[in-house]
Structure formats: C-alpha cells, structure tokens
Amino acid sequence: MEQRWTDAVFLHWRIPEAESAAFMPSGVVPDVFDGSAWVGLIGFRMQKAGFGRGPAVPFFGDFNEINVRLYSREPDGTRGVVFLSLDADRLAVVLAARAAGIPYVWSHARFRPAQPGRPATGYSVRRFRRGATSGFAVIPAFDDIAADPLSIHLTARFGLHSRFRGRTLYIPNTHPAWPLYRAELTVLDDGLVSAAGLNVTGPPDSVLYSPGVRTRFGKPRVLGAEAGRVRI
C-alpha cells in the first residue's frame, strides 16, 4: 500500500524497559535509547492511501489517525514499531485492520489545523461508548530542525512488528527522512496512553512536528523460530 502521512505530531515519554518488554511480540525486545524505552502518542492525517501504484481509494483512503506505540528490535538489529492502539474515524478501515491483527479503534478523531491567530496544530479523540479521550496540540518551530539522534531514533521507523494468529510478523515500510521540527506543546489532556496499559507523568520528553512524508508498505514476513530465543 502507498499512502501519505501529513501534519504529524510526535509526543514521547521515557518508560522503563521492563514495562515496554511486557508488550513485545515473541521474538523482539524493546529498542532502548539513552537507557530507556519510549512510548509515543502520535497524530497524523492519512491521505491518498491506495494499493500499489494505483489510484487512491476514494473516501476510505483519507482519515485521521492517533496511535500509541512502542519501539522494537529483532536479534539482527531490524527495528520496528509495536502499536498498542490506533484510533481512526473510518469504520471500514478499522474492521479490515483488526482482521489483520492491527489494534485499531473506531473513534471520533479530529484534526485541528493552525489558523490565523491560533498557530497550534493538533488532534482530538473520543472513543465511542464513553471510552478514552485525548487532546493535544503543538506550535511547530520551523526555524528549529530536529536532527539529533533521539529524534531520528523515534521517527525513522521502517516497519512494524505485530502478532497475527500466534505468530510475529514484520511489515516493512519505506519512506524518505521525515522533515522534523521541534515544537512547543500547548495542549495535552490524554487518556490513550493509560488506556493502553502504561502510565506516564509530566510533559513529554520529546515534542516534534512534521509536515509529512509519502510512504509504502511491503510484503509481511514471519519471524523465524530462532528469533524467539533472543536475549536482552
């Protein structure tokens, strides 16, 4: 699948490695940076999603997504993302993704663009049946490019690890480097991270914004039996 991810807001907190390890699929371990595992709350707009090089899927190829994710590593060093939840406002997309083992949740997910006199960009989520809610916004500093090792570690992720029918899958993803900018957090009232089973306190340790990238998912592969013997 090809798609574009735009107006991405990245919020990240340090968490203990052991807490992240409890959510890792078989065969992968937390990808630690600076002595910590990391949990991310990320909002972006999915645009023009389609199959292969064909045209985008009308209506269903455009939606808002807010996800909670961790970072994983295979024994050979292959790095990925482990999603704890992905909130989206397209029911058909949610149902199809859940059938493939991706933990999507159908929610009211709104994008709040910057406007004259209100420079913050952000997202809000309200899950149905009085579920978890979230709201966050940032003001990007377009004169402050984020190219430090931590920012690259948290965003240069070229695949995801997922459980499916008792197996661990790796789904590759290719895209150019994110154009990244540091950002000022202006709003944060989140219940998605705690709903996923993790507790964080205080402001995020990393706040970033990107106007977006074009990306492509490839064919999944199953991790071999030897991957299950990885040691931290």
Side-chain angles (χ1 to χ4, degrees):
M1 292 190 68
E2 288 195 2
Q3 52 202 234
R4 183 165 179 80
W5 300 335
T6 66
D7 295 297
V9 175
F10 300 89
L11 308 180
H12 284 93
W13 292 262
R14 293 176 180 269
I15 61 171
E17 182 179 353
E19 292 187 13
S20 178
F23 294 92
M24 292 291 111
S26 176
V28 299
V29 297
D31 194 9
V32 172
F33 186 93
D34 192 26
S36 298
W38 296 77
V39 58
L41 174 66
I42 292 90
F44 66 94
R45 294 194 293 157
M46 182 84 73
Q47 294 185 317
K48 300 185 182 302
F51 295 97
R53 296 185 180 276
V57 179
F59 181 74
F60 297 108
D62 295 84
F63 57 90
N64 302 312
E65 180 183 308
I66 296 87
N67 63 64
V68 177
R69 70 191 201 185
L70 302 171
Y71 302 100
S72 49
R73 176 175 52 82
E74 295 182 34
D76 66 0
T78 300
R79 291 180 161 91
V81 168
V82 172
F83 288 111
L84 302 186
S85 65
L86 307 93
D87 286 77
D89 51 8
R90 288 284 186 268
L91 179 58
V93 172
V94 170
L95 294 176
R98 291 186 69 88
I102 309 298
Y104 268 85
V105 181
W106 188 31
S107 306
H108 288 294
R110 294 186 60 188
F111 169 61
R112 301 182 182 278
Q115 298 176 356
R118 194 184 68 93
T121 295
Y123 293 85
S124 64
V125 175
R126 179 170 58 84
R127 290 179 178 172
F128 295 106
R129 298 181 180 179
R130 298 185 179 181
T133 62
S134 182
F136 53 94
V138 302
I139 299 177
F142 291 110
D143 60 347
D144 191 357
I145 297 173
D148 59 288
L150 175 60
S151 297
I152 302 303
H153 175 83
L154 296 173
T155 59
R157 293 282 151 174
F158 300 103
L160 68 93
H161 291 108
S162 177
R163 297 181 182 92
F164 183 67
R165 296 182 179 177
R167 297 181 176 183
T168 299
L169 298 182
Y170 177 76
I171 304 175
N173 175 267
T174 58
H175 60 77
W178 287 93
L180 284 174
Y181 303 93
R182 302 190 194 284
E184 176 190 356
L185 182 69
T186 60
V187 174
L188 178 61
D189 184 9
D190 177 64
L192 299 185
V193 174
S194 60
L198 291 167
N199 291 313
V200 295
T201 58
D205 297 285
S206 172
V207 181
L208 302 169
Y209 170 84
S210 176
V213 294
R214 185 73 183 176
T215 183
R216 176 187 293 182
F217 283 98
K219 182 183 295 185
R221 64 172 168 84
V222 180
L223 270 65
E226 68 278 5
R229 296 196 293 270
V230 64
R231 292 179 174 84
I232 301 176

